[in-house]
Structure formats: structure tokens, C-alpha cells
């Protein structure tokens, strides 16, 4: 329709660096799902980013397919959104190279994620880890994205994306849309169940700290029952009660209840009841996702059809931007 305003473009990506966790789901993927009607959503599995940390090839291949199926199972609808695999779309690596030449060593050196990851992987501080934000900038800029939903830990990467885009536009004219990062307000920041000062992470040394999307119900229940709390025995949200705060955050995210409602619900009850309730709510939230995943992962042909279709659309859109960039830089077309 002529009068319908064009929907804004949302771009986001997630790395297939292992299983999808409850933290990934409540913090990111669930928001991807909720944005699908209001925006033109383009989502990617950022598998080029993943090899900045060494991967076992067989496991990596499995992780990519599992993540792709899991995210569809969560509700990313391939009829509404473009959900593609980054390594299948060659424009990403190409634009990243060009943008590398418009990014300064100094600004990449200041990236906190680079500093953290090089401390963690001191035996493999590779150039890809260093230029990771440039690849990410390319991902976003290729699609002329208006909005980029990300976790708080990616904010600095959005800032550098804008800096690179403005610098490029300053030299060559308006080539890139300057994107806007946003931290979705209903995006819960889920912490480890064992060490609630750290983000929930699949690399948590204590397996009970992290709930995976595909964990069976009894495993989920066990992890919640062992969750770290405190000695106050009172369900309330307060400073210093990191374990309880985290459980309340999860319960609120899954049930839609406010903290006040949760405090009332568990007034006079112990942590045992509370942990059981949180565990059960999470089990019920994840049950249909796991069932859907089991179906999908059996149907490799369907998954392949989904990503081939999406890869092609992504290639078409991104090639327009890459072509423009190359022309501006002076390449012979
Ligand atoms: N770096 C992001 C993360 O680890 C994943 C990512 C890659 C991304 N490219 C992106 C996120 C582009 C948003 C936009 O979470």
C-alpha cells in the first residue's frame, strides 16, 4: 500500500558458540520474536565471529544447526523475518575487510570485550578477535539497519559501528544509515544460578549455574533447586540479595508478574517453595520450545530450505550496500 509507512529495519545476530541458554532466550531471542510484526527483522547466526575462539569442527557444525533450529523453535518465524547464516553470505567478510581499513588500531584496542577475551584466551589472541567489532559493524551496516537490539555487553560495539559509519560517510557521502542500538526493556539480564554476580554463561565452570534451552525438565528443576540464595529466607528484591534477585528476574520474565506481586505470592514462604515455582515456570515456558526443536532438528531438509531462502535474500540486500561502498572507494565495477 502506498500510504503505509515503510517499516524500520531491525538487525541482530547471535553466535552459535554452544547451546542456547535461558539467558540468551530471555535476554535476546524472545525479544527478536516480539519485534517481528512491527519491524522488518533481519537476524543472523554470526558463525564467522565464532571462530575467533578455536572450535572443534564436528561440534561447531552441530552447534550451528542446533542453534538455527532452536531459534526457530523459540518463535523466530522464517515467513516474517529473514534468518540467515552469516558465513553463507559472502558480503559480510568482504565489507569487514574494507571497513578494517577505516578503523584505527587505537579504537579497537580500547574495546573492553577484546581486553576481556584476550585475558581469557591468552594463548590465542588472534587478529580476528581484535577486529571482531569491525565484522559486527559490517553485519549491521550492510542492511542499513535502523535499530539493533543487543545486550548491554554489546553497547560499545554499537558505538564503534556508528563511529566507523560516520567516518566513512564523512569521506564518501551518505552510504550507511547510522544505526541505533537499543537494550530492549523486557530483556532480562539473567545471571548464573551458582554465582549470581556473573552473567549466565555456557562456559560457567559449575554446570548447575547455567540452564540450557533444551535441558530436560528434571535437569531444570534440579538446577533451580540448587540455586544459590541467601540466609534471610525472605523473597524480596533488594541490594545484596543477588541470588534471589536473579530468581525473581527469571520468574518475572517468564510469568509476567511484577516483583511486588512475586513478593506477595511468596510472603511467609521459604526459598524451597520459591525455587520450585521458578523451576516449574521455566519448565513450562521451555517445554513447547524443546518439543518444537525435536521436530525441527529431525527435518534437516526443511532447515536447509529455510536458511537457503534467507541467505539468498540477505545476499541480495547486502550486495546493494557493498556495491555502493566499492564504487565509492574507487574499485572498478
Ligand atoms: N557480537 C554479538 C554477540 O556476541 C553477536 C553479533 C554479531 C551481533 N554480529 C552482530 C549482534 C550484529 C548484533 C548485531 O552477542
Amino acid at each position: 500500500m502506498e500510504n503505509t509507512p515503510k517499516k524500520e529495519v531491525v538487525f541482530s545476530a547471535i553466535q552459535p558458540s554452544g547451546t542456547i541458554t535461558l539467558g540468551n532466550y530471555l535476554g535476546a531471542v524472545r525479544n527478536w520474536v516480539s519485534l517481528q510484526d512491527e519491524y522488518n527483522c533481519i537476524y543472523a547466526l554470526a558463525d564467522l565471529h565464532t571462530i575467533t575462539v578455536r572450535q572443534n569442527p564436528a561440534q561447531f557444525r552441530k552447534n550451528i544447526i542446533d542453534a538455527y533450529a532452536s531459534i526457530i523453535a523459540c518463535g523466530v518465524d522464517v515467513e516474517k523475518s529473514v534468518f540467515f547464516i552469516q558465513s553463507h553470505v559472502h558480503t559480510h567478510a568482504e565489507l569487514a575487510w574494507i571497513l578494517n581499513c577505516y578503523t584505527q588500531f587505537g579504537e579497537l584496542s580500547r574495546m573492553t570485550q577484546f581486553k576481556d577475551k584476550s585475558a581469557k584466551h591468552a594463548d590465542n589472541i588472534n587478529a580476528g578477535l581484535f577486529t571482531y567489532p569491525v565484522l559486527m559493524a559490517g553485519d549491521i551496516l550492510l542492511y542499513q539497519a535502523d535499530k539493533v537490539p543487543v545486550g548491554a555487553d554489546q553497547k560499545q560495539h554499537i558505538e564503534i559501528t556508528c563511529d566507523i559509519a560516520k567516518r566513512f560517510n564523512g569521506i564518501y557521502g551518505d552510504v550507511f544509515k547510522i544505526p541505533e542500538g537499543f537494550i530492549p526493556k523486557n530483556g532480562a539480564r539473567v545471571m548464573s544460578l551458582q554465582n549470581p554476580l556473573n552473567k549466565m554463561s555456557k562456559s560457567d565452570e559449575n554446570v548447575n549455574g547455567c540452564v540450557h534451552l533444551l535441558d530436560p525438565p528434571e535437569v531444570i528443576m534440579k538446577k533451580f533447586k540448587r540455586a544459590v540464595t541467601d540466609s534471610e529466607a525472605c523473597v524480596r528484591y533488594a541490594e545484596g540479595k543477588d541470588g534471589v534477585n536473579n530468581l525473581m528476574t527469571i520468574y518475572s520474565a517468564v510469568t509476567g508478574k511484577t516483583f511486588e506481586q512475586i513478593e506477595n505470592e511468596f510472603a511467609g514462604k521459604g526459598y524451597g517453595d520459591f525455587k520450585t515455582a521458578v523451576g516449574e515456570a521455566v519448565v513450562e515456558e521451555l517445554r513447547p520450545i524443546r518439543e518444537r526443536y525435536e521436530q525441527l532438528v529431525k527435518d534437516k531438509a526443511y532447515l536447509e530450505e529455510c536458511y537457503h531462502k534467507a541467505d539468498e535474500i540477505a545476499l541480495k540486500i547486502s550486495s546493494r550496500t557493498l556495491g555502493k561502498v566499492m564504487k565509492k572507494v574507487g574499485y572498478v565495477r
Side-chain angles (χ1 to χ4, degrees):
M1 265 190 297
E2 244 171 78
N3 294 328
T4 318
K6 235 174 143 246
K7 286 183 182 174
E8 285 191 312
V9 174
V10 158
F11 183 92
S12 198
I14 193 168
Q15 287 195 54
S17 50
T19 59
I20 305 283
T21 68
L22 180 66
N24 299 137
Y25 173 65
L26 294 177
V29 180
R30 208 171 62 144
N31 287 303
W32 289 14
V33 174
S34 68
L35 295 168
Q36 294 183 108
D37 290 317
E38 200 179 330
Y39 296 94
N40 260 335
C41 295
I42 305 177
Y43 299 130
L45 271 191
D47 59 345
L48 293 174
H49 283 93
T50 310
I51 65 162
T52 52
V53 174
R54 191 79 71 235
Q55 302 292 317
N56 168 296
Q59 187 62 48
F60 185 35
R61 200 170 289 123
K62 182 173 181 310
N63 288 346
I64 293 170
I65 291 298
D66 280 358
Y68 194 81
S70 302
I71 289 169
I72 294 179
C74 289
V76 167
D77 182 342
V78 294
E79 301 294 327
K80 286 186 193 164
S81 303
V82 179
F83 178 36
F84 70 99
I85 299 181
Q86 184 192 34
S87 65
H88 295 182
V89 183
H90 60 77
T91 46
H92 288 255
E94 292 169 18
L95 183 61
W97 173 255
I98 294 175
L99 295 182
N100 269 325
C101 304
Y102 296 82
T103 307
Q104 296 304 305
F105 182 87
E107 57 187 337
L108 288 176
S109 310
R110 288 192 290 273
M111 293 289 117
T112 52
Q113 192 170 72
F114 172 69
K115 291 189 228 165
D116 291 350
K117 284 202 179 169
S118 25
K120 223 163 128 192
H121 304 277
D123 55 335
N124 185 19
I125 306 176
N126 59 75
L129 196 62
F130 189 64
T131 62
Y132 178 114
V134 183
L135 179 60
M136 180 162 159
D139 294 342
I140 297 166
L141 298 175
L142 277 171
Y143 299 92
Q144 308 287 348
D146 296 283
K147 296 216 161 87
V148 187
V150 284
D153 61 326
Q154 297 295 316
K155 236 180 103 192
Q156 203 184 21
H157 289 162
I158 304 294
E159 283 162 17
I160 199 176
T161 298
C162 295
D163 291 343
I164 296 169
K166 284 180 195 156
R167 183 174 307 142
F168 195 92
N169 286 354
I171 306 171
Y172 300 106
D174 278 346
V175 176
F176 296 125
K177 159 94 43 86
I178 308 301
E180 197 187 305
F182 77 104
I183 299 170
K185 35 184 179 332
N186 61 338
R189 190 170 147 76
V190 177
M191 312 305 280
S192 162
L193 298 183
Q194 289 297 319
N195 182 358
L197 291 172
N198 293 338
K199 210 173 120 173
M200 181 176 279
S201 157
K202 40 211 154 207
S203 51
D204 199 323
E205 64 241 21
N206 187 330
V207 293
N208 290 318
C210 177
V211 173
H212 305 272
L213 208 60
L214 305 172
D215 276 346
E218 61 281 9
V219 172
I220 297 176
M221 288 309 295
K222 191 188 78 190
K223 287 178 180 174
F224 277 102
K225 283 185 178 154
R226 291 189 185 167
V228 167
T229 48
D230 53 59
S231 56
E232 193 194 32
C234 175
V235 178
R236 64 184 187 101
Y237 197 95
E239 211 182 307
K241 290 173 67 76
D242 302 296
V244 171
N245 294 350
N246 186 39
L247 292 172
M248 286 179 73
T249 300
I250 295 170
Y251 193 61
S252 165
V254 171
T255 61
K257 292 176 186 166
T258 64
F259 288 157
E260 203 188 331
Q261 287 169 325
I262 298 169
E263 286 169 8
N264 291 335
E265 183 178 348
F266 294 97
K269 293 191 186 144
Y271 288 152
D273 289 344
F274 178 49
K275 290 190 206 177
T276 302
V278 181
E280 281 170 355
V282 169
V283 165
E284 288 320 312
E285 173 84 9
L286 299 186
R287 187 189 306 283
I289 295 175
R290 200 182 59 252
E291 286 170 2
R292 184 93 214 285
Y293 165 85
E294 303 290 353
Q295 293 293 321
L296 282 165
V297 83
K298 275 189 271 185
D299 196 348
K300 293 277 172 350
Y302 172 71
L303 291 174
E304 214 175 286
E305 191 190 310
C306 292
Y307 56 73
H308 281 165
K309 230 167 37 189
D311 297 344
E312 225 172 87
I313 299 170
L315 179 63
K316 203 168 141 208
I317 301 172
S318 59
S319 294
R320 284 202 289 266
T321 302
L322 182 67
K324 218 170 172 184
V325 167
M326 294 185 76
K327 194 169 145 201
K328 292 284 191 184
V329 170
Y331 285 108
V332 175
R333 304 300 291 152

